Amino acid sequence: NAGVMQNPRHLVRRRGQEARLRCSPMKGHSHVYWYRQLPEEGLKFMVYLQKENIIDESGMPKERFSAEFPKEGPSILRIQQVVRGDSAAYFCASSPTSGGVSYGYTFGSGTRLTVV
Amino acid sequence: QKEVEQNSGPLSVPEGAIASLNCTYSDRGSQSFFWYRQYSGKSPELIMFIYSNGDKEDGRFTAQLNKASQYVSLLIRDSQPSDSATYLCAVNIGRGGNNRKLIWGLGTSLAVNP
């Protein structure tokens, strides 16, 4: 029973390039959340998605960042024209399709993005 | 006003002692509460969740919830050096269509000294 799968684990991009981060939720989970974390800082919410729908994108920067969760395939967080300030750990989490309020998030191992 | 607050620490306890981690939240409609542990360089992992007033025990961990006072705590008995990590409190406010979104505290750093 695979957990939340994120890839790549490490990603190096030059300034101005595009970064694509992938997340496959756990089996039976249809809710996906993306977070960003800088070293020694807390989790910063970015976006909450269900299949083919963005539920809450209040934490997404207005420009260069986008996210999708298509009917088939993984969720993608896309960062266009990366800048050094985008360097961070990006975590994806998923939660069950059902289960009321007693659910919790399961996190992937994260993608460490380094912009050089 | 922050919605979920935690003392950033570091909280330092000797090995074998009880570590007490606290979290307060602002939304009285909050329905469920979670404690996660995050080791440096790793992703958060769920330790416990609680949604009823009172105590919930799991091994060395006890979560305590007091909805009237709007706080939730985590006690770690017989603390071990391997418990040294950042502990994150998360709260579900159960609001409308966004009812699965968790609101996170910034975490409390715990150091257990041998």
Side-chain angles (χ1 to χ4, degrees):
Chain A
N1 184 16
V4 178
M5 304 301 292
Q6 285 190 254
N7 65 81
R9 290 292 300 273
H10 300 276
L11 182 61
V12 179
R13 284 288 178 265
R14 295 187 182 278
R15 281 179 296 172
Q17 290 184 319
E18 178 179 287
R20 281 191 177 227
L21 288 62
R22 294 175 183 77
C23 171
S24 296
M26 283 186 69
K27 189 175 181 180
H29 288 196
S30 62
H31 301 260
V32 167
Y33 316 83
W34 285 94
Y35 289 85
R36 178 165 62 179
Q37 189 173 41
L38 294 170
E40 308 304 320
E41 293 191 10
L43 291 171
K44 184 177 185 302
F45 170 76
M46 299 184 75
V47 63
Y48 163 20
L49 309 106
Q50 284 183 267
K51 286 283 187 181
E52 299 184 280
N53 283 306
I54 296 175
I55 306 301
D56 183 340
E57 56 182 346
S58 58
M60 289 280 272
K62 299 298 182 189
E63 298 177 349
R64 302 190 297 109
F65 285 73
S66 62
E68 63 176 3
F69 189 14
K71 186 176 181 180
E72 301 291 337
S75 175
I76 305 288
L77 179 67
R78 182 182 178 205
I79 311 172
Q80 295 178 288
Q81 299 175 330
V82 297
V83 300
R84 287 217 171 111
D86 296 332
S87 296
Y90 291 83
F91 291 105
C92 170
S94 69
S95 66
T97 305
S98 59
V101 297
S102 302
Y103 63 90
Y105 292 179
T106 301
F107 281 83
S109 298
T111 293
R112 273 75 179 169
L113 173 65
T114 303
V115 180
V116 297
Chain B
Q1 180 185 1
K2 291 184 179 178
E3 296 188 51
V4 177
E5 292 203 48
Q6 296 181 253
N7 189 326
S8 62
L11 174 65
S12 184
V13 300
E15 184 174 356
I18 296 175
S20 178
L21 303 156
N22 299 310
C23 172
T24 58
Y25 59 94
S26 60
D27 193 318
R28 285 196 171 274
S30 299
Q31 297 187 2
S32 48
F33 309 84
F34 302 84
W35 282 101
Y36 283 77
R37 176 176 62 197
Q38 186 176 25
Y39 292 112
S40 181
K42 301 295 185 181
S43 58
E45 55 180 328
L46 180 64
I47 299 175
M48 294 192 71
F49 71 88
I50 187 168
Y51 53 89
S52 298
N53 272 327
D55 295 1
K56 179 181 179 181
E57 187 175 318
D58 183 2
R60 296 187 296 112
F61 298 95
T62 299
Q64 299 176 317
L65 175 60
N66 184 323
K67 289 188 177 182
S69 300
Q70 294 176 244
Y71 83 78
V72 56
S73 61
L74 179 70
L75 301 178
I76 307 175
R77 290 181 300 282
D78 188 24
S79 296
Q80 301 297 310
S82 58
D83 295 325
S84 299
T86 296
Y87 289 79
L88 301 167
C89 173
V91 174
N92 167 251
I93 58 176
R95 187 176 295 150
N98 209 347
N99 63 1
R100 290 177 182 270
K101 182 180 174 184
L102 296 183
I103 309 300
W104 295 81
L106 294 180
T108 297
S109 175
L110 172 66
V112 180
N113 306 308

